[in-house]
Structure formats: structure tokens, C-alpha cells
Amino acid sequence: MNKKMKHVYVACLLMASFGAYAQTTVQSPYSKFGLGNLKGSVLPNQRAMGGISAGVFRSSYINNINMQNPASYAGINLTTLDIGMSGSFANLKTNTLSENSFNSSLSHLAMAFPVTMKSALSVGILPYSELGYNFSNRMTVGTTTDNTKTVDYLYSGEGGLSKAYIGYGIQFGDHFRVGANAEYLFGNLIQNRSTEYVNEAGAINSRDQLKNSVAGFNFSYGAQYDFRLGNKTSLVLGYSGSSASKLNSEKSQYITIYQKDSQGNELSALDTLSAVENGKTNLKLPLVHNFGFTLVKENKWLIGADYRTGKWSEMSIDNVNQNLKDTYGFSVGGQFTPDVTAINGYFKRVDYRLGFTYDKTYIQMNNQDVKQMALTVGLGLPLQPAYARSSFYKMNISAEIGRRGKVSNGLIQERYVNLHLGFMLNDKWFQRFRFD
């Protein structure tokens, strides 16, 4: 088998295996709301720069895939493959409790192919949201000493949505680019609510199990315009957005009652009070906007910023508004490469990245907006190019050190360190050569 085709075959197998990967494990009580914790469609090199994307065209001599703004595909002139994984250390803290966790998973697989001199096609798959939590709330109910009972309200959830996409970007003239992605979102959102009587063997407990199986199409789009400011220096203005759309969903819900024995072990369900199986419904996504710019000196440095908004107050599941809030946020970041042509001194060819990101999330608890912020850092480590420099390889490493929420007014503070690792390949595939 031709060597290049082997690469394609392996990539397709990886993509198929990734598609079977329908759930992501995460431990965050804030993922209980909406669709869970949103991941964002940026790869490790951009995450290291605060997640800037709207104005990112080319950050170095190596092609990068920026699916957050498909207009950027127009600059891809080599077949590009990017695959990676991520891990997260998290600490949850209240006024009285603290808990640590670690989770890891595959994070993305993306490919891009030049179609003409000024256009390219990209396909890939990556997480869209993550849902995972398990917590309880203990309360005392009753009106007199004789009928007072201690009750645990238990909440748990798992799952999330993945996004597979295909996109195309094209450049008109020397400065203007547009692009669009067709996105297929799929996955399961599983949530449980239980009511259990503490130290009451034989008491009747109840559980509400809700599962939404989501599958449907969404569309995103983008545009970029660059101004040449001087020799190898340019200003790129960018916009990207995601349409408001409805996704198909199948709802399954079971309300059951059960008992526990004297040791606290759960017994088989006594009865099913209500059952809904594969009920046809929908999930409505909101309109999202992202504006940004970058100031770039070719193969030397890049700085930029993004501002984003989302109408998440309009999101609904099963035609029920989810009581979310509109979001806004911003990112700033940049990259510096000392000397991309250095022959001696490997670290002169390394990309050094730094950024900051801030978001008001769509969650509001106890009349307080839940906000999220993170400092981001990373490196782009060039690997040995192929003979005659026809192929280029780079390993991108990034870290997000952040916080979601705060310890006040009964809220939970979530501190996290997200680590991302990506391997990027640029090569000439699907081209016919006179000599091989």
C-alpha cells in the first residue's frame, strides 16, 4: 500500500474509533446545567493563546487548522493532520469541603486538504460539551419531632455531545476569505435525581432518570480580511458565528421507587411509576457570535484578541426553556518565535505562547453569575522535517490554569489545570510526481 494512503487509512480508523467515543468523563457540578461544560472548537496551539480564533489565519510556516473560523482554511496549502489528547486536574471547594479529581481522554482529530491554490476542505471530530457530576444535599423534613426525617437528595449525570464537521474555505482576491462548516452534533445527556431517607431501612425512595439522545445538524461560518501594514506584517480582522438551530432528540424518562436494606444497599426497583421511551423531541441551540483580530509578523510573532457573545437564554430542551443566561467573554494572547530559520539552537525555533481568557457562563445560582477565567501557556515544538523539507511535524503543548465560580453565597469554586497535547503533520498528499 502506498505510504501516503496508509496515513489516510490510519487516520480514518482513528476517526471511526473516535466516533464510537460518545461520552467524556468529567467531574464538575456546573456541568449539570444546559448541555454541560462547553469545550470550544480550538486546538492546543490556539488554546495556549487564550483560545483566540476569529482573526487567526496562519500563525507560522506550518499550516494550522482553525475550525472555529472556517474562512482560515483558505490558507492551507499542504495536507494537514492534527490529532491530540487532553487531561484535567480539578479541585472542588466549598466553605467546608474539598475534593480532587483527574480525567483524561482523546480530544480531537482534524484533517485539511487544499482544493485549489486559494481554497481548502477540512473534516474532523472533537468534543462539543462534557457532562459529569455526582453530589448530594442533605435536609431535614417534617413538622414535629415525631415525624422529622433526614433526607438525601442525590444528583448525578454523565455524557456529553461530540461534533463531527466538514468545512470549506476560499479566498477572493488578495485579502478577503469566507468559509462555512456543516456540523453533526451527537451524544447522550443522562441525568438522575434521587430522594432517599437516611437510616430508614424499608423506606420508599424514588428516582427520576432522564436521558436525551441528541443527533442533528448545525452550521457555523466565518470571514476574514487582512490589511498589509508593511514588510511581512499584517492586521487580520475576523468574524465567526454559529446559527440558531434545532437538533433532533429522543427522550427516555423513568420514575421508579425502590428500597434499601439495613446495610444501605439498594434493592431492586419496586415499581415504575412513569415511563417514556424514545419520545421524539428537539433541542434548540442559540445564535453565537465571535469577533476578533490578530496583528502578525510572518514567522516571528502574533498577538490578538477575541470578543464573543451567545444567546443561551433562548436554549430549550423538549420545548422547555432551560433558564440559562446570555454569555459573553473575551480572550487575548500571542505567540513568539525567536528565529524560525535557526540551524543551531533548537529553542530558537520553538513557538512560545501565552494568553488569558474570561467568560460569564450561562449559569446563574443564588442570583450570582458563574464566571470563568484562565491563564494559558504553551509551546510549539518543531520535529525533524522530512528529506528535502517536503513534510513538517510539530508537537503542540498547552496548559490552562483556571477557576470557575467562587466560594461565596453557597456556591462551589472549581479550580482546574487542563493539559492539551497535539501532534500536527503537514505533507504533500494526493499529488502526482514525475519521479518518486
Side-chain angles (χ1 to χ4, degrees):
M1 182 184 296
N2 182 278
K3 184 178 180 180
K4 301 297 194 321
M5 293 308 295
K6 285 183 179 180
H7 290 320
V8 178
Y9 180 70
V10 171
C12 290
L13 287 179
L14 287 170
M15 186 171 289
S17 65
F18 202 107
Y21 171 76
Q23 295 185 3
T24 302
T25 301
V26 65
Q27 273 129 14
S28 170
Y30 290 118
S31 70
K32 178 180 186 295
F33 302 93
L35 301 178
N37 293 341
L38 302 178
K39 297 296 292 179
S41 300
V42 291
L43 302 187
N45 55 314
Q46 292 170 252
R47 289 193 183 276
M49 298 185 288
I52 59 173
S53 62
V56 175
F57 179 48
R58 293 184 66 116
S59 57
S60 71
Y61 65 94
I62 292 184
N63 294 327
N64 58 281
I65 303 175
N66 175 13
M67 68 277 289
Q68 187 75 26
N69 189 340
S72 65
Y73 301 157
I76 292 174
N77 55 17
L78 293 173
T79 298
T80 303
L81 171 67
D82 199 314
I83 185 170
M85 60 187 300
S86 63
S88 178
F89 298 88
N91 172 260
L92 302 176
K93 183 180 180 181
T94 67
N95 287 321
T96 57
L97 299 173
S98 180
E99 179 180 298
N100 298 315
S101 65
F102 172 76
N103 295 283
S104 63
S105 66
L106 290 173
S107 61
H108 67 273
L109 173 62
M111 302 180 72
F113 313 90
V115 177
T116 67
M117 292 291 290
K118 293 185 177 182
S119 70
L121 180 75
S122 180
V123 296
I125 188 167
L126 65 163
Y128 182 82
S129 71
E130 293 180 331
L131 189 155
Y133 60 89
N134 192 340
F135 62 91
S136 64
N137 184 22
R138 177 165 292 186
M139 298 183 66
T140 300
V141 298
T143 56
T144 66
T145 303
D146 293 334
N147 67 6
T148 296
K149 303 289 185 183
T150 301
V151 179
D152 277 343
Y153 297 96
L154 310 175
Y155 305 88
S156 64
E158 63 177 352
L161 300 183
S162 297
K163 176 170 72 176
Y165 77 92
I166 181 169
Y168 181 74
I170 185 170
Q171 179 169 314
F172 297 96
D174 295 327
H175 305 281
F176 182 61
R177 299 175 289 274
V178 295
N181 290 324
E183 303 167 348
Y184 183 72
L185 301 181
F186 62 96
N188 297 313
L189 305 174
I190 304 170
Q191 297 181 298
N192 300 312
R193 295 181 298 168
S194 303
T195 302
E196 295 185 352
Y197 291 89
V198 181
N199 300 323
E200 296 284 341
I204 303 298
N205 307 308
S206 65
R207 176 175 294 126
D208 184 351
Q209 300 173 301
L210 175 63
K211 176 182 177 181
N212 278 295
S213 297
V214 179
F217 284 95
N218 187 44
F219 298 92
S220 61
Y221 36 81
Q224 291 181 336
Y225 192 92
D226 62 68
F227 300 86
R228 304 300 165 84
L229 304 180
N231 184 29
K232 297 186 177 181
T233 304
S234 60
L235 172 67
V236 182
L237 302 181
Y239 164 78
S240 63
S242 182
S243 61
S245 57
K246 284 189 176 182
L247 310 181
N248 295 325
S249 177
E250 288 189 353
K251 172 184 174 182
S252 299
Q253 186 172 21
Y254 305 92
I255 300 176
T256 57
I257 55 176
Y258 60 96
Q259 293 178 306
K260 287 189 169 183
D261 61 24
S262 57
Q263 282 76 42
N265 300 312
E266 184 175 322
L267 304 177
S268 300
L270 295 173
D271 196 6
T272 300
L273 303 182
S274 175
V276 175
E277 293 186 349
N278 302 323
K280 301 297 182 181
T281 182
N282 60 67
L283 184 152
K284 182 181 178 182
L285 292 178
L287 184 66
V288 175
H289 301 289
N290 190 21
F291 306 87
F293 76 90
T294 58
L295 187 62
V296 185
K297 184 168 184 179
E298 186 178 334
N299 294 327
K300 190 67 175 181
W301 50 261
L302 175 151
I303 57 173
D306 279 11
Y307 177 78
R308 50 191 169 269
T309 64
K311 294 289 291 181
W312 287 93
S313 60
E314 299 177 356
M315 184 210 162
S316 64
I317 300 178
D318 195 15
N319 296 315
V320 177
N321 187 279
Q322 297 299 294
N323 296 317
L324 304 178
K325 301 300 177 181
D326 290 340
T327 63
Y328 65 83
F330 68 88
S331 298
V332 294
Q335 169 182 295
F336 175 69
T337 310
D339 185 359
V340 73
T341 63
I343 298 176
N344 296 319
Y346 172 80
F347 290 99
K348 293 180 181 180
R349 294 185 284 117
V350 170
D351 302 324
Y352 299 90
R353 300 168 179 143
L354 182 67
F356 177 79
T357 180
Y358 171 92
D359 284 282
K360 183 187 83 67
T361 71
Y362 53 44
I363 304 169
Q364 188 180 84
M365 297 178 62
N366 299 334
N367 295 317
Q368 288 192 74
D369 293 325
V370 174
K371 299 174 182 178
Q372 174 179 319
M373 62 189 72
L375 176 69
T376 64
V377 295
L379 299 172
L381 303 173
L383 304 179
Q384 183 67 34
Y387 176 74
R389 302 182 71 87
S390 61
S391 302
F392 301 92
Y393 307 87
K394 182 172 285 190
M395 181 169 62
N396 293 303
I397 303 171
S398 66
E400 301 170 277
I401 304 142
R403 185 188 73 188
R404 182 185 293 115
K406 56 184 179 180
V407 181
S408 65
N409 232 12
L411 299 186
I412 298 172
Q413 183 182 86
E414 182 179 331
R415 292 186 178 273
Y416 58 86
V417 178
N418 295 333
L419 304 175
H420 305 276
L421 176 64
F423 294 92
M424 184 189 299
L425 162 68
N426 282 192
D427 201 353
K428 292 183 178 181
W429 294 3
F430 313 116
Q431 297 187 29
R432 181 177 296 175
F433 298 94
R434 184 176 300 275
F435 299 105
D436 191 359

